[in-house]
Amino acid sequence: MIFDHRTYTCRPGTIKKHMKLYADHGWKTQSFHLGAPVLYGAVETGDVNSYVHVWCYESAQDRAEKRAALAADPEWQAYLKISADAGFLVAQVNTILTPASFFTLPGAA
């Protein structure tokens, strides 16, 4: 199992606009291909212009296959264009994590 931890930073004052844009145009398609995220949330303290989402995959291969299918989806490509045109995002940091030996994802067998 691996986790894909992503932090995105928006221009000040635009995070609510970006989250609405994503809710309206990206969420359905992304969650269709990747499944439900472990977490998707806005930062409340610290860098309040950022948000984080964490996706869980069986393996690096599983991640690569799901992300390739997402990238090929015309609805996702349309969302990426809308997002780029809006210009709300200024930074992105992706980190791949592996769980500690004692950790079990809640709800997992």
Side-chain angles (χ1 to χ4, degrees):
M1 176 185 309
I2 63 170
F3 294 94
D4 185 353
H5 177 281
R6 294 171 169 250
T7 302
Y8 292 82
T9 304
C10 294
R11 284 188 298 111
T14 66
I15 191 166
K16 288 182 181 179
K17 293 175 184 178
H18 175 73
M19 294 295 262
K20 177 155 180 30
L21 186 146
Y22 173 75
D24 293 346
H25 301 281
W27 169 251
K28 180 181 172 185
T29 304
Q30 189 172 36
S31 59
F32 172 80
H33 288 285
L34 305 185
V38 175
L39 171 72
Y40 205 117
V43 173
E44 190 166 320
T45 61
D47 184 357
V48 296
N49 296 304
S50 63
Y51 65 97
V52 173
H53 44 104
V54 179
W55 303 85
C56 182
Y57 301 96
E58 293 176 19
S59 64
Q61 182 66 32
D62 179 45
R63 177 183 177 274
E65 290 170 2
K66 287 179 177 176
R67 293 205 53 83
L70 175 63
D73 190 311
E75 289 184 24
W76 184 248
Q77 293 170 13
Y79 161 70
L80 293 177
K81 181 176 182 345
I82 292 167
S83 178
D85 289 347
F88 300 143
L89 295 175
V90 296
Q92 172 182 346
V93 176
N94 298 2
T95 306
I96 300 297
L97 305 163
T98 56
S101 62
F102 54 82
F103 175 78
T104 302
L105 189 63

